[in-house]
Amino acid sequence: VEGIIKAIYEAKKSKSIVLVCNELMSSTRLALSEGCIDMIIATPLTKMAQAVVETFTHALSQKQVLPQPALQLTVELHVAENL
């Protein structure tokens, strides 16, 4: 992502290119606030990791793997106005 952001800045194209990135990090947050990135889609990694650990723990304690219901995750959409 950093390479794409750098190329857009160098080409002075931040107003003519729509850029949507994955995950809110310091570099993407800065580019979003400066108008280089239009939106960031963030995955709730902590919630997903907790679900994986719980599933594995349950499977190991039961000595069998049973089908698990689908994990419903919400994503966070970040735009410059909601930083």
Side-chain angles (χ1 to χ4, degrees), residues 18-22 32 37-41 76-80:
V18 174
L19 181 59
V20 177
C21 294
N22 188 39
L32 180 64
I37 294 176
D38 296 282
M39 184 186 330
I40 298 171
I41 302 171
E76 297 174 358
L77 301 178
H78 298 277
V79 293

Side-chain angles (χ1 to χ4, degrees), residues 13 15 26:
K13 297 286 185 178
K15 299 299 179 202
S26 58

Side-chain angles (χ1 to χ4, degrees), residues 30-81:
L30 178 61
L32 180 64
S33 70
E34 293 177 345
C36 182
I37 294 176
D38 296 282
M39 184 186 330
I40 298 171
I41 302 171
T43 308
L45 296 176
T46 302
K47 185 176 180 180
M48 189 167 46
Q50 287 173 335
V52 169
V53 170
E54 288 172 9
T55 300
F56 283 145
T57 302
H58 180 72
L60 290 172
S61 69
Q62 300 299 314
K63 305 283 190 227
Q64 62 180 339
V65 178
L66 299 174
Q68 297 295 312
L71 176 62
Q72 298 294 318
L73 294 175
T74 58
V75 295
E76 297 174 358
L77 301 178
H78 298 277
V79 293
E81 292 79 11

